[in-house]
Amino acid sequence: MKGNDKNGLKKGPWTPEEDRILVDYIHKHGHSKWKSVPALAGLNRCGKSCRLRWTNYLRPNIKRGNFSSEEEQLIIDLHALMGNKWSAIARHLPGRTDNEVKNLWNSRLKRKLIQMGIDPITHEPLTDPRLHQLLAAASFSNLINNPLDIVNALMLQSDAVATLAKSLHLSHNMLQALASTPTPMASQDPTKACSTSNEYQFGSSSSSLPVNVPNLDTTPQPIPPMAPRPTIVDDHHETNNITNPSSTTLQEWDDFMDGGEASEPYWRDII
DNA sequence: AACTATACCAACCGCGAATTG
DNA sequence: GCAATTCGCGGTTGGTATAGT
């Protein structure tokens, strides 16, 4: 039957009635065993489908609607730090699910970064071949319609390439600090290390977003940016910002580097 | 008005980790 | 200690809405 799997379980979109049944059941009995939830609740769904529906849609305190620019910026910052750890990123955005964050990234943020000349995977400036590759893959009609944006992206790149050289220096300092500081943290997954902070702030500039991370219990620790930090700007203002590469937040990275804050002792303190 | 392309989002799938017996 | 089961996560797909031609 269409819409049912081989076990006769229903697949596809949930109906309001199914939602009501699931919510009622979980409110009364909880969900200690997802596998048994559908049978006990009287739903013709698999447990996995119930769990997904609950965590991504029905759970209390889910925040629906558009992401604010602050939330978008935070996702970019966290992605630079954690990579595709959507659940970890979502934990820092109250009311948002990993699925929502992932969808936002794949549908909008990734493209925005590419337009700004930033590699969405590494968060580093795109090299020419990589830029062409991504631009081709993304088929940006708006870029094509506005050749100025391509020029802007390339200008951003030249600005960023200089920054990249400095970031290599930073990496060197980090490695030195790691090598000379025997600590368990050095061998840990940085995402795990991050998730144990109560809060952290990106960069040292005044534009850093204060990131409140609830329900975590260790000492707050400022974490510097791991990569040039692109700032998402409103579409309506994008052109104005981009036409002046020197005014981008890459400058913040420069300041961070030039200020000597990213020296080996700095990283040793962090570690 | 009809068709096509694109963007967005909900849901599914498969895999690895954690838990249980 | 090990196999089976359950859960959580990230990647991907498919449906729908909207914009563009």
Side-chain angles (χ1 to χ4, degrees):
Chain A
M1 195 206 291
K2 195 181 177 182
N4 288 27
D5 70 7
K6 57 178 184 278
N7 299 317
L9 296 173
K10 190 180 174 197
K11 290 170 67 175
W14 281 64
T15 65
E17 177 65 5
E18 287 177 311
D19 284 346
R20 188 189 60 75
I21 292 171
L22 182 59
V23 170
D24 282 353
Y25 177 84
I26 290 175
H27 281 158
K28 285 176 190 160
H29 305 97
H31 51 77
S32 57
K33 291 272 186 187
W34 281 112
K35 179 99 173 177
S36 60
V37 164
L40 295 171
L43 286 164
N44 189 31
R45 295 271 184 176
C46 68
K48 195 172 183 175
S49 180
C50 292
R51 178 176 56 80
L52 220 58
R53 184 63 179 171
W54 173 258
T55 56
N56 285 340
Y57 202 85
L58 299 173
R59 177 165 61 89
N61 305 323
I62 292 273
K63 195 196 282 184
R64 321 273 337 152
N66 294 338
F67 281 74
S68 66
S69 55
E70 287 80 12
E71 285 177 310
E72 290 188 356
Q73 185 62 61
L74 177 55
I75 291 168
I76 290 168
D77 288 338
L78 290 170
H79 187 273
L81 206 59
M82 302 175 175
N84 294 0
K85 302 288 180 190
W86 306 120
S87 61
I89 293 171
R91 276 194 280 274
H92 298 299
L93 291 129
R96 299 297 190 181
T97 68
D98 58 345
N99 209 32
E100 264 187 307
V101 171
K102 182 172 55 182
N103 281 335
L104 178 75
W105 178 265
N106 286 328
S107 62
R108 287 162 60 182
L109 298 184
K110 196 159 74 173
R111 204 174 325 123
K112 240 170 181 173
L113 288 184
I114 296 168
Q115 286 181 9
M116 295 167 71
I118 303 293
D119 190 319
I121 297 169
T122 63
H123 291 256
E124 287 173 357
L126 286 163
T127 58
D128 274 354
R130 181 93 174 112
L131 178 67
H132 286 122
Q133 186 187 346
L134 286 168
L135 286 174
S139 67
F140 298 116
S141 55
N142 55 338
L143 274 181
I144 290 162
N145 291 340
N146 185 3
L148 188 59
D149 281 349
I150 297 176
V151 174
N152 290 335
L154 291 170
M155 287 173 73
L156 250 180
Q157 266 194 279
S158 62
D159 180 50
V161 162
T163 303
L164 180 59
K166 291 184 177 183
S167 73
L168 289 172
H169 175 66
L170 169 65
S171 303
H172 175 73
N173 285 341
M174 285 179 69
L175 288 171
Q176 279 194 334
L178 284 168
S180 61
T181 312
T183 160
M185 282 291 289
S187 61
Q188 282 182 351
D189 180 350
T191 65
K192 291 189 174 65
C194 167
S195 67
T196 58
S197 306
N198 256 340
E199 64 177 33
Y200 47 81
Q201 297 171 342
F202 293 91
S204 54
S205 74
S206 58
S207 68
S208 300
L209 287 168
V211 181
N212 297 316
V213 181
N215 303 326
L216 298 169
D217 56 1
T218 52
T219 312
Q221 191 70 261
I223 295 180
M226 299 298 288
R229 179 171 171 259
T231 299
I232 283 295
V233 292
D234 190 271
D235 283 340
H236 305 99
H237 306 108
E238 205 158 10
T239 304
N240 288 341
N241 278 293
I242 286 179
T243 48
N244 182 6
S246 66
S247 71
T248 69
T249 51
L250 290 172
Q251 183 62 46
E252 295 171 20
W253 180 255
D254 275 353
D255 295 343
F256 174 70
M257 300 293 299
D258 291 340
E261 292 174 80
S263 62
E264 183 190 333
Y266 175 86
W267 286 106
R268 191 171 294 150
D269 281 349
I270 299 291
I271 295 160

